[in-house]
């Protein structure tokens, strides 16, 4: 075992600026003295020593050391400070609060990934030794337990920082982080990362509260952008904690989620909205409505509807669809009577944007989510029929590419609208019938790259709309289609008309 680099580094730790070197209390075990000095070496502001070589020597020392020598009489605080110092050494470089978006894998981040892989290897050796020490009579769980409790949260944050593909990671650092997290979960007697964070049952407290305690200082308005990994650690950790555990931590997770979603960068907005969506799905409605939390979330999401990014709009609409029932339930409980609901407000704004939207990506997002809003309002969709009709007619007319997501979504919207607001449909029959027949003809005669399965889906959706219109108009569609059937020579179109005529 070569420890020359480690020895040289520790000798370099002499008095600085004329002061006396920091020393641990007298009569401490040799291992604690060594680890204490190494912690000082890697602590913030310490420099001038060959840290990369020391790190490799430290890994060799931990791997080869006897458990009794390493942990006998060891103070959990000393080991905790060492882990924290190494964690900081492997962290991505800090950024300015309003720095531009993260760069690619440049030399700075490549060096961070290599440091993280080396630090992760040391942590792996340390966990292996802690597991081995549990079985020794002279140490056992009473000695190892407090040490493990002191280091498990920093080890988790290190693993979550480097476990996924980021600018500051590479294949080696990700592999080490994944192995470290799996070993940490086993060492704590848990079966999964979620169990490690939330506890094995509702009465048992997991480590999520302690992890959030460490992240708290980095998730404030003035600090959350400095460490580029903080938002990813938070957003990767939050989904692991579900109902009913998450409600215990609502005050800790809601403010940072709102903070991230309120950023000016779209990628951060999407990240924050996804965190809010997880909270909405996994926190009881009563807790969300307390102190008007649900209203705060609603207004934050509603403001994002003015954005122009399709991924953000999709995330916001999906979150709103799950939040709106909670708001309406709170309204009923408070016996508030309003001419319109939050769902009406959202749908009104969405239809306004849809009517003027020309970008296909946004048209597809709007059309995919529109049926769910119609289902939510039910018969109350009659309030929006005038504008909704204009949107349906406009979207049926425009081809939006090989998959035809927008037109398929609009056909589903029309079906839902007819089912819920059927008394209002007969007066709109001439306009809707003309639009559907024109779309059927356009799809049948399309010579582009539209797949046959997509053509079949469009024709089937249009046929279903015609059947529903015929039912609510007491057979008027059958009468109007008789002349079309007799004069049409296209078998595919005749087949669609025949299905309508034969339907009873």
């Amino acid at each position: 075992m070569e420890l020359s680099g480690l020895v040289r580094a520790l000798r370099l730790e002499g008095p600085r600026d004329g002061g006396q070197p920091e020393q641990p209390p007298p009569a401490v075990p040799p291992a604690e003295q060594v680890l204490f000095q190494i912690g000082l070496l890697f602590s913030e502001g310490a420099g001038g020593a060959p840290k990369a070589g020391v790190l490799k020597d430290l890994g060799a020392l931990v791997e080869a050391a006897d458990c009794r020598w390493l942990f006998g009489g060891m103070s959990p605080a000393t080991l905790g400070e060492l882990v924290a110092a190494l964690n900081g050494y492997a962290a991505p470089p800090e950024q300015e609060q309003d720095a531009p978006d993260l760069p690619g894998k440049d030399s700075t981040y490549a060096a961070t990934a290599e440091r993280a892989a080396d630090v992760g290897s040391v942590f792996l050796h340390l966990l292996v030794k802690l597991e081995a020490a549990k079985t020794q009579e002279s140490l056992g769980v009473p000695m190892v337990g407090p040490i493990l409790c002191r280091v498990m949260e920093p080890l988790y944050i290190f693993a979550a920082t480097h476990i996924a593909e980021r600018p500051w990671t590479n294949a080696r650092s990700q592999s080490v982080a994944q192995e470290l997290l799996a070993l940490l979960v086993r060492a704590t007697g848990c079966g999964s990362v979620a169990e490690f964070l939330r506890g094995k049952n509702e009465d048992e407290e997991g480590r999520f509260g302690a992890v959030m305690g460490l992240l708290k200082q980095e998730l404030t308005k003035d600090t959350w952008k400095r460490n580029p990994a903080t938002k990813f650690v938070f957003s990767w950790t939050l989904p692991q904690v579900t109902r009913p555990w998450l409600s215990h931590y609502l005050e800790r997770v809601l403010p940072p989620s709102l903070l991230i979603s309120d950023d000016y960068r779209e990628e951060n907005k999407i990240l924050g909205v996804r965190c809010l969506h997880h909270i909405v799905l996994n926190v009881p409605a009563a807790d969300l409505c307390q102190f008007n939390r649900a209203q705060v979330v609603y207004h934050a999401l509603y403001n994002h509807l003015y954005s122009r990014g399709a991924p953000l709009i999709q995330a916001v609409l999906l979150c709103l669809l799950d939040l709106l029932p909670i708001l309406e339930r709170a309204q009923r409980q408070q016996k508030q009577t309003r001419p319109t609901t939050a769902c009406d407000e959202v749908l009104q704004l969405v239809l306004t944007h849809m009517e003027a939207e020309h970008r296909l990506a946004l048209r597809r997002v709007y059309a995919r989510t529109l049926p769910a809003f119609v289902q939510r309002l039910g018969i109350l969709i009659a309030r929006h029929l005038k504008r909704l009709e204009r949107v349906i007619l406009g979207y049926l007319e425009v081809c939006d590419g090989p998959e035809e997501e927008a037109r398929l979504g609009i056909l589903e919207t029309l079906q839902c609208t007819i089912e819920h607001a059927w008394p209002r449909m007969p007066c709109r029959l001439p306009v809707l019938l003309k639009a559907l027949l024109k779309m059927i003809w356009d799809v049948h005669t399309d010579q582009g790259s539209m797949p046959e399965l997509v053509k079949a889906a469009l024709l089937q959706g249009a046929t279903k709309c015609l059947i529903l219109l015929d039912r609510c108009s007491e057979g008027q569609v059958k009468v109007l289609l008789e002349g079309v059937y007799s004069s049409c020579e296209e078998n595919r179109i005749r087949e669609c008309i025949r299905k309508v005529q034969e339907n009873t």
Side-chain angles (χ1 to χ4, degrees):
M1 178 176 60
E2 293 291 336
L3 297 177
S4 55
L6 177 59
V7 172
R8 286 198 303 273
L10 294 180
R11 286 174 178 170
L12 286 172
E13 288 296 302
R16 290 194 288 269
D17 299 329
Q20 294 297 321
E22 295 185 61
Q23 293 293 338
V28 295
E32 186 163 357
Q33 294 183 38
V34 173
L35 297 182
F36 180 82
Q37 290 291 333
I38 296 174
L40 290 179
L41 174 63
F42 283 94
S43 62
E44 187 177 357
K51 294 182 181 179
V54 173
L55 198 58
K56 292 180 180 178
D57 289 344
L58 175 61
L61 172 65
V62 174
E63 184 180 16
D66 179 74
C67 292
R68 285 172 294 183
W69 180 85
L70 192 59
F71 301 121
M74 169 70 68
S75 166
T78 299
L79 204 54
E81 290 167 4
L82 173 64
V83 170
L86 293 177
N87 205 348
Y89 174 67
E94 285 194 356
Q95 295 182 329
E96 294 295 329
Q97 185 74 354
D98 292 320
D101 291 340
L102 289 173
K105 292 191 179 239
D106 58 14
S107 58
T108 304
Y109 283 117
T112 300
E114 290 302 317
R115 289 199 303 270
D118 292 337
V119 169
S121 297
V122 173
F123 289 160
L124 280 172
H125 294 317
L126 186 62
L127 271 183
V128 170
K129 286 294 180 181
L130 284 169
E131 279 289 274
K134 286 182 182 179
T135 61
Q136 296 190 7
E137 290 186 10
S138 57
L139 297 172
V141 176
M143 177 68 72
V144 175
I147 296 176
L148 188 60
C149 287
R150 185 63 183 258
V151 301
M152 63 175 66
E153 290 87 12
L155 291 180
Y156 171 84
I157 290 177
F158 170 86
T161 300
H162 302 280
I163 200 168
E165 184 176 357
R166 303 292 179 202
W168 56 84
T169 64
N170 58 23
R172 180 169 166 248
S173 65
Q174 291 176 51
S175 176
V176 170
Q178 291 166 5
E179 188 178 352
L180 176 65
L181 185 58
L183 185 57
L184 178 62
V185 169
R186 287 199 304 271
T188 53
C190 300
S192 65
V193 176
E195 192 176 294
F196 168 80
L197 288 167
R198 71 193 186 197
K200 295 182 180 180
N201 52 63
E202 190 176 356
D203 297 329
E204 179 184 342
E205 184 177 359
R207 310 310 306 172
F208 184 67
V211 169
M212 286 303 302
L214 292 179
L215 290 176
K216 182 178 179 181
Q217 297 302 318
E218 297 186 9
L219 283 172
T220 66
K221 182 179 179 180
D222 298 324
T223 60
W224 74 274
K225 284 188 177 180
R226 291 179 186 170
N227 185 346
T230 300
K231 62 184 179 183
F232 293 114
V233 174
F234 173 70
S235 62
W236 190 85
T237 301
L238 178 62
Q240 310 288 340
V241 184
T242 54
R243 185 187 296 260
W245 294 274
L246 190 59
S247 59
H248 304 313
Y249 307 102
L250 182 56
E251 287 298 326
R252 297 192 183 190
V253 299
L254 185 57
S257 299
L258 289 167
L259 181 65
I260 296 172
S261 73
D262 194 39
D263 192 49
Y264 67 93
R265 296 179 190 164
E266 184 171 327
E267 64 177 71
N268 291 335
K269 290 180 181 178
I270 295 172
L271 204 62
V273 169
R274 287 174 179 165
C275 291
L276 290 173
H277 196 180
H278 179 77
I279 293 171
V280 169
L281 290 173
N282 290 278
V283 172
D287 292 340
L288 283 174
C289 292
Q290 194 175 22
F291 307 122
N292 268 347
R293 295 187 186 107
Q295 282 289 342
V296 172
V297 175
Y298 169 71
H299 288 299
L301 294 171
Y302 188 85
N303 290 336
H304 288 317
L305 291 176
Y306 293 94
S307 302
R308 311 302 295 156
L312 175 60
I313 292 294
Q314 180 171 345
V316 169
L317 290 176
L318 292 175
C319 186
L320 278 170
L321 283 169
D322 289 312
L323 179 64
L324 290 173
I326 297 172
L327 291 171
E328 292 167 8
R329 192 179 306 125
Q331 232 177 12
R332 289 194 299 268
Q333 290 174 350
Q334 296 169 7
K335 297 181 179 179
Q336 295 178 354
T337 56
R338 295 177 57 189
T340 58
T341 64
C343 190
D344 288 300
E345 294 173 350
V346 173
L347 182 58
Q348 186 174 0
L349 183 60
V350 167
L351 290 175
T352 301
H353 290 167
M354 288 183 74
E355 202 171 351
E357 188 54 61
H358 65 279
R359 282 180 286 187
L360 292 180
L362 268 174
R363 288 168 70 95
R364 290 171 186 142
V365 169
Y366 285 134
R368 278 199 301 264
T369 53
L370 195 55
F373 281 96
V374 177
Q375 292 280 11
R376 270 231 55 77
L377 282 171
I379 186 60
L380 297 179
I381 192 62
R383 296 169 174 171
H384 307 275
L385 278 182
K386 189 174 181 180
R387 180 168 288 164
L388 181 59
E389 179 187 304
R390 294 200 300 266
V391 169
I392 290 173
L393 295 176
Y395 276 58
L396 286 179
E397 192 173 351
V398 178
C399 172
D400 69 298
E403 300 304 320
E404 294 287 354
E405 294 177 54
R407 284 209 284 200
L408 286 171
I410 285 298
L411 284 172
E412 186 182 350
T413 301
L414 180 55
Q415 292 168 23
C416 295
T417 304
I418 297 170
E419 290 170 352
H420 288 290
W422 60 267
R424 299 287 188 92
M425 291 297 111
C427 63
R428 291 175 165 80
L429 182 58
V431 176
L432 293 174
L433 182 59
K434 181 181 177 180
L436 288 169
L437 289 175
K438 184 178 184 301
M439 194 209 77
I440 290 174
W441 176 261
D442 290 343
V443 170
H444 173 65
T445 57
D446 180 77
Q447 301 298 323
S449 58
M450 188 187 301
E452 282 299 316
L453 288 175
V454 176
K455 279 188 178 183
L458 285 171
L459 294 175
Q460 183 180 359
T463 304
K464 186 174 181 181
C465 289
L466 290 173
I467 291 172
L468 291 172
L469 283 172
D470 183 67
R471 290 177 182 174
C472 68
S473 64
E474 298 181 349
Q476 291 184 44
V477 174
K478 288 188 177 73
V479 176
L480 294 172
L481 289 180
E482 285 178 0
V484 178
Y485 185 82
S486 60
S487 62
C488 181
E489 298 179 356
E490 300 292 336
N491 290 332
R492 202 164 190 178
I493 297 177
R494 287 171 64 90
E495 177 66 18
C496 294
I497 298 173
R498 186 185 61 79
K499 288 179 181 178
V500 178
Q501 290 178 327
E502 292 179 355
N503 186 271
T504 58

